[in-house]
């Protein structure tokens, strides 16, 4: 992606310099052509940046994160024969004594390292199992989901209002309405390659009923990550400084420190809410959805369909779905830390990508317009 971006930007800069660049004296207005060249270069940069950020969000934050949430590391069993006597001069035992001293082999279990322990190993596994485009698995379902989600959300907000609370209600309602489509995406992402088309794998209405509650909990948790910081933002009266940043300079040093501390508290509240509420809700939803995966489809990473014996198939009288509590409890601390580390890596990648593209945009402006900034 970065190689393509570099090539396109270079071509745009070269073309702009050849076509529009003119010499001008200090104090003279810039020619109109320069602004066209800068606009063209920045437009290309913005498109490539959008594609790069979308790919990072989907592949790492969507596919890899979902696989991390459902993977159950396998354990390898092996036996060890009882240790023989270490005494070189130990007396020979009679047949009866040998029989009486014979012990059973010891059985040991060693857990394999999770495939999703690293982003690189996860992508390598996907490519080996399903081909180079497997990192974008489920993309068609995701595009359909977001398109329909937008339509339904806009319709509901038009009916009940565009204020914050009505919008939150509309967001939760939209998520519940599309719960089966969202579960379909999860099933496509976690399952091994199948000849069956994705639109022929649509979950049944009966399966959809089983995920209404976890979907509602997840949707409310997502809204909480917005409501908590926004509520604190207005409680600390920070909107005045956001609208008119110059007001911050008129404050005393002590007042400035208070405003900075309040701003930090707002940011941290969003982070804490996401880690303590949104992430557990998302993990629970994905694991409940995964428990409803059809038996005819294998998973692309190791996955315990019984959730440690807590789920029994419907054919033997069980519910065939894991409960919300068991879905979270069976996601052990090792897996939780693995998921948090993944989100930290994704955030670092996204921040680095933004810095690179902003630097590239500034470089483009200076290359085309000299030391002047586009106005």
């Amino acid at each position: 992606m970065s190689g393509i971006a570099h090539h396109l930007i270079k071509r745009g800069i070269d073309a702009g310099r050849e076509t529009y660049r003119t010499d001008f004296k200090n104090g003279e207005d810039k020619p109109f052509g320069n602004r066209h060249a800068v606009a063209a270069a920045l437009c290309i940069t913005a498109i490539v940046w959008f594609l790069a950020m979308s790919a990072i969000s989907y592949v790492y934050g969507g596919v890899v994160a979902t696989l991390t949430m459902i993977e159950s590391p396998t354990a390898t069993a092996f036996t060890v024969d009882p240790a023989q006597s270490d005494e070189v001069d130990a007396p020979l035992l009679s047949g009866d004594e040998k029989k009486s001293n014979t012990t059973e082999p010891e059985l040991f279990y060693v857990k394999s390292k999770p495939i999703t322990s690293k982003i690189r190993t996860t992508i390598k596994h996907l490519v080996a199992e399903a081909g180079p485009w497997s990192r974008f698995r489920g993309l068609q379902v995701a595009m359909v989901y977001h398109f329909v989600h937008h339509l339904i959300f806009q319709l509901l907000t038009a009916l009940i209002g565009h204020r914050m609370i009505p919008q939150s209600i509309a967001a939760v309602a939209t998520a519940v309405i599309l719960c089966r489509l969202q579960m379909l995406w999860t099933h496509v992402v976690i399952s091994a390659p199948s000849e069956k088309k994705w639109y022929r794998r649509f979950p049944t209405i009966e399966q959809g009923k089983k995920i209404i509650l976890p979907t509602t909990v997840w949707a409310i948790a997502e809204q909480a990550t917005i409501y908590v910081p926004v509520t604190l933002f207005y409680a600390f009266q920070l909107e005045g400084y956001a609208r008119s940043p110059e007001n911050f300079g008129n404050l005393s040093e002590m007042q400035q420190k208070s405003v900075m501390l309040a701003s930090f508290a707002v940011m941290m509240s969003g982070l804490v809410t996401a880690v303590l509420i949104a992430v557990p809700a998302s993990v629970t939803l994905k694991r409940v959805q995964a428990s409803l995966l059809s038996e005819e489809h294998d998973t692309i990473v190791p996955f315990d369909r019984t959730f440690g014996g807590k789920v029994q198939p419907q054919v033997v009288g069980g519910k065939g779905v894991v409960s919300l509590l068991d879905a979270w409890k069976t996601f052990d601390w090792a897996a939780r830390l693995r998921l948090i580390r993944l989100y930290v890596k994704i955030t670092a990648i996204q921040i680095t990508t933004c810095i690179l593209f902003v630097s590239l945009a500034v470089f483009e402006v200076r290359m085309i317009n000299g030391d002047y900034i586009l106005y």
Side-chain angles (χ1 to χ4, degrees):
M1 182 68 73
S2 60
I4 297 174
H6 175 76
H7 177 72
L8 291 176
I9 300 304
K10 186 175 183 300
R11 289 288 300 274
I13 292 175
D14 291 343
R17 295 178 68 179
E18 284 290 328
T19 306
Y20 298 108
R21 180 89 181 195
T22 58
D23 295 327
F24 52 90
K25 305 292 185 179
N26 290 334
E28 293 183 3
D29 291 339
K30 282 187 278 189
F32 184 75
N34 275 23
R35 288 182 293 194
H36 280 260
V38 174
L42 292 181
C43 183
I44 296 174
T45 303
I47 293 173
V48 177
W49 171 80
F50 173 78
L51 293 175
M53 292 297 289
S54 298
I56 292 170
S57 178
Y58 185 81
V59 176
Y60 300 151
V63 175
V64 176
T66 298
L67 295 177
T68 303
M69 292 175 187
I70 66 104
E71 183 183 8
S72 305
T74 57
T76 303
F78 65 94
T79 59
V80 177
D81 292 331
Q84 302 296 323
S85 174
D86 293 333
E87 299 180 20
V88 177
D89 298 327
L92 296 176
L93 300 176
S94 64
D96 293 339
E97 290 174 322
K98 287 181 180 180
K99 186 175 180 179
S100 62
N101 282 274
T102 300
T103 58
E104 293 294 330
E106 297 182 28
L107 185 64
F108 292 89
Y109 290 92
V110 177
K111 275 192 173 183
S112 302
K113 189 175 183 180
I115 295 172
T116 56
S117 59
K118 295 180 180 179
I119 293 178
R120 181 175 58 83
T121 57
T122 307
I123 299 299
K124 184 177 179 181
H125 175 76
L126 287 175
V127 172
E129 293 291 326
W133 290 101
S134 59
R135 67 193 70 193
F136 294 103
R137 54 193 5 243
L139 183 59
Q140 290 179 319
V141 184
M143 293 174 67
V144 172
Y145 175 83
H146 287 295
F147 176 74
V148 179
H149 186 283
H150 176 75
L151 292 180
I152 296 177
F153 178 76
Q154 292 298 325
L155 176 62
L156 292 178
T157 52
L159 293 175
I160 64 177
H162 293 274
R163 292 184 178 275
M164 191 169 181
I165 292 179
Q167 282 193 341
S168 295
I169 295 174
V172 174
T174 304
V176 173
I177 293 171
L178 297 177
C179 64
R180 291 169 62 202
L181 185 57
Q182 188 188 47
M183 180 162 61
L184 172 62
W185 179 85
T186 301
H187 288 177
V188 172
V189 167
I190 69 174
S191 60
S194 173
E195 295 181 356
K196 202 171 184 180
K197 298 296 184 181
W198 63 266
Y199 49 81
R200 297 185 181 277
R201 297 177 54 181
F202 216 85
T204 64
I205 296 177
E206 188 64 29
Q207 289 178 319
K209 292 178 180 178
K210 295 179 180 179
I211 60 168
I212 290 178
L213 179 58
T215 301
T216 303
V217 172
W218 166 76
I220 293 174
E222 289 288 309
Q223 293 303 307
T225 61
I226 301 174
Y227 259 95
V228 173
V230 169
T231 301
L232 290 178
F233 179 81
Y234 285 105
F236 292 143
Q237 299 179 348
L238 297 177
E239 67 275 12
Y241 306 108
R243 294 173 182 171
S244 304
E246 62 273 9
N247 293 338
F248 181 78
N250 299 328
L251 300 176
S252 64
E253 183 178 352
M254 183 64 67
Q255 290 174 323
Q256 289 181 349
K257 289 181 179 180
S258 298
V259 172
M260 293 174 64
L261 184 61
S263 301
F264 179 75
V266 170
M267 291 187 293
M268 288 303 299
S269 67
L271 177 62
V272 171
T273 305
V275 173
L276 297 183
I277 299 179
V279 171
S282 181
V283 170
T284 301
L285 175 61
K286 295 301 180 187
R287 290 174 69 80
V288 173
Q289 291 172 338
S291 70
L292 292 167
L293 180 66
S294 174
E295 292 286 346
E296 65 177 295
H297 297 290
D298 294 325
T299 53
I300 200 165
V301 294
F303 174 58
D304 179 16
R305 293 176 181 266
T306 69
F307 290 84
K310 297 183 181 297
V311 177
Q312 296 294 329
Q314 286 184 311
V315 293
V316 295
K319 294 182 178 180
V321 61
V322 69
S323 66
L324 272 72
L325 184 59
D326 287 336
W328 175 247
K329 287 172 62 178
T330 53
F331 191 66
D332 59 24
W333 274 105
R336 296 174 191 178
L337 293 176
R338 191 164 69 247
L339 181 62
I340 294 299
R341 285 196 297 268
L342 172 64
Y343 282 136
V344 171
K345 293 177 184 177
I346 294 171
T347 302
I349 293 172
Q350 290 176 326
I351 292 174
T352 303
T353 303
C354 288
I355 292 174
L356 289 176
F357 274 93
V358 169
S359 301
L360 180 60
V362 173
F363 175 74
E364 289 170 355
V365 173
R366 292 189 176 278
M367 283 292 291
I368 298 175
N369 274 9
D371 293 330
Y372 292 86
I373 299 298
L374 180 66
Y375 64 88

